[in-house]
Amino acid sequence: MLRLGIVGLPNVGKSTLFNALTAAGAEAANYPFCTVEPNVGMVEVPDARLTLLTEKIGPRQTIPAVVQFVDIAGLVKGASEGEGLGNQFLANIRETDAIVHVVRCFDDTDVVHVMGGIDPVRDREVINLELVLADLSVVEKRLERVRKGARGGDRDARAELGLLERLFEALSEGRSARSVETSSEEEVLLRSFNLLTSKPVVYLANVAESDLPEGENAYVSALRTAVTASGELAEVIPISSRIESELSELPADQRDEFLTSLGLEEPGLNRLIRSGYRLLGLQTYFTAGEKEVRAWTIPIGAKAPEAAGVIHSDFQRGFIRAETVGWNDFVRTGSVKVARDQGLMRSEGKEYLVADGDILLFRFNV
């Protein structure tokens, strides 16, 4: 399951967007800190392939892959030192896979901005610095403990020490943990630290309805330029929280018509989820039968036993083989059974690299 943590200054449309994406009904008022407790919402991953599988197989139930969104109170300048309420909930997004940074890119005199005028470049820098300082506090405490262990001959502490010292140096200079080069062994360590600035970032540029469908304005352009200049490998996705909110309130059969009237091909949620999958190198495979059709999320490059383990650890532990139908073969034949009868179902072993869209049946024994 993909987990995304939503951050941003107060009153940038963060909670409105969360409500729209998850239909969770989190409070969204025009004053700072209205989101006091962290909100968690689950969203189905839109996938036309799952719909087609369901139509062809007619299972008793269909279970899509899901994304978890975690929304916390708006962060403000000084959050790392206890200012505002957002600092209290940073721990809630340390467990997420990526950060969704909502940046205000619209003018509206009725919606106050906690820092005065609209300036997405400044807002990005403020939030990024607060995340850096929050991570610096974590690394500083861990470094103190690890140094003591290393002096005492602790082998694990010695392995951590070099990485922590480089992280401390980068964070002290205002750079993110992502900017620190790591070996494959250190990368595993880094992930275990759950540093906020080690996570991939998607910038959601919250624009006015009038800026759609292109979603571009001077604010968005400035934000893109700042992200590019920083060397940060992050996507900037224009989105209108107001439109997403209106869309979420419509019956499903009216949403396509509403999108078309705005010149949009799809909701912003779809683009956000695809961006998250790209950033984290994720893909989808399917299991399909009369009882259930289901989508599963795995890393690109996962081998068959690892993919089986997403279903249950016993599947990975006792893995024998994976009976596989490629997505294109399924589309061509229109049936897993026909694909099997035509010799298109393959028997794959432990070294098989699962492909996006594969339909898999695992054989195992424990």
Side-chain angles (χ1 to χ4, degrees):
M1 178 177 65
L2 174 62
R3 296 167 299 175
L4 301 175
I6 304 177
V7 302
L9 290 167
N11 296 350
V12 297
K14 191 168 57 65
S15 293
T16 299
L17 186 62
F18 173 84
N19 291 345
L21 298 180
T22 65
E27 185 177 6
N30 180 22
Y31 55 92
F33 315 135
C34 66
T35 311
V36 177
E37 295 293 337
N39 295 288
V40 178
M42 306 293 285
V43 177
E44 295 181 1
V45 175
D47 195 324
R49 298 172 301 181
L50 188 66
T51 303
L52 180 60
L53 267 174
T54 299
E55 292 173 352
K56 295 292 186 181
I57 294 174
R60 290 197 289 272
Q61 67 173 340
T62 299
I63 303 176
V66 295
V67 174
Q68 182 186 81
F69 286 96
V70 181
D71 177 37
I72 65 170
L75 298 172
V76 295
K77 188 173 183 180
S80 59
E81 298 174 354
E83 293 295 324
L85 295 175
N87 69 90
Q88 299 175 28
F89 304 107
L90 282 173
N92 293 88
I93 58 173
R94 286 197 181 277
E95 301 298 324
T96 59
D97 301 305
I99 300 293
V100 177
H101 185 171
V102 182
V103 184
R104 180 170 168 176
C105 293
F106 66 89
D107 290 306
D108 189 337
T109 55
D110 293 330
V111 180
V112 298
H113 192 295
V114 293
M115 298 192 70
I118 310 303
D119 186 343
V121 175
R122 174 205 61 205
D123 294 354
R124 169 183 173 270
E125 291 173 351
V126 167
I127 295 296
N128 284 350
L129 180 57
E130 293 306 321
L131 297 182
V132 163
L133 292 174
D135 279 351
L136 180 60
S137 176
V138 170
V139 168
E140 193 170 19
K141 291 174 184 176
R142 190 177 188 103
L143 186 56
E144 183 179 347
R145 185 171 67 252
V146 165
R147 278 175 174 157
K148 290 180 181 177
R151 286 195 296 268
D154 187 316
R155 187 174 301 176
D156 291 338
R158 287 178 178 174
E160 282 190 34
L161 184 58
L163 173 59
L164 285 169
E165 287 178 337
R166 298 202 307 281
L167 286 168
F168 181 79
E169 180 181 0
L171 294 166
S172 297
E173 295 172 354
R175 294 185 287 118
S176 70
R178 291 185 301 275
S179 69
V180 176
E181 292 188 12
T182 56
S183 65
S184 56
E185 293 83 3
E186 288 177 332
E187 187 63 32
V188 175
L189 271 176
L190 180 59
R191 284 197 298 271
S192 73
F193 298 160
N194 281 332
L195 298 179
L196 297 166
T197 62
S198 69
K199 302 178 189 300
V201 178
V202 178
Y203 291 98
L204 282 191
N206 190 11
V207 301
E209 179 181 344
S210 58
D211 291 317
L212 297 175
E214 289 80 8
E216 291 295 326
N217 59 32
Y219 296 135
V220 177
S221 296
L223 179 61
R224 288 190 193 280
T225 299
V227 171
T228 301
S230 71
E232 187 176 22
L233 297 177
E235 295 190 33
V236 177
I237 301 177
I239 194 170
S240 169
S241 62
R242 182 170 295 178
I243 292 302
E244 296 296 319
S245 182
E246 292 178 14
L247 188 65
S248 69
E249 295 173 359
L250 289 175
D253 59 353
Q254 295 180 23
R255 291 175 185 172
D256 286 345
E257 183 180 348
F258 180 64
L259 287 169
T260 301
S261 71
L262 295 169
L264 299 173
E265 295 181 357
E266 61 181 352
L269 171 64
N270 295 21
R271 289 180 286 133
L272 172 57
I273 291 176
R274 282 202 305 273
S275 177
Y277 270 58
R278 283 194 299 270
L279 278 172
L280 294 164
L282 301 176
Q283 63 181 3
T284 302
Y285 80 85
F286 304 99
T287 51
E290 293 181 358
K291 180 181 178 182
E292 176 187 283
V293 167
R294 184 162 182 167
W296 304 88
T297 301
I298 58 171
I300 294 172
K303 295 182 179 180
E306 183 182 351
V310 174
I311 299 176
H312 196 284
S313 58
D314 284 349
F315 282 34
Q316 182 169 4
R317 185 161 54 89
F319 179 88
I320 298 173
R321 67 180 184 275
E323 296 178 4
T324 310
V325 175
W327 180 253
N328 290 336
D329 289 334
F330 172 78
V331 171
R332 190 161 48 247
T333 60
S335 164
V336 174
K337 181 180 183 301
V338 173
R340 181 189 295 111
D341 293 342
Q342 293 184 6
L344 297 173
M345 177 172 278
R346 311 183 309 274
S347 181
E348 302 287 1
K350 293 182 177 181
E351 296 303 309
Y352 175 65
L353 295 177
V354 176
D356 187 47
D358 272 355
I359 302 168
L360 301 176
L361 173 64
F362 296 106
R363 302 296 184 185
F364 70 101
N365 183 35
V366 291

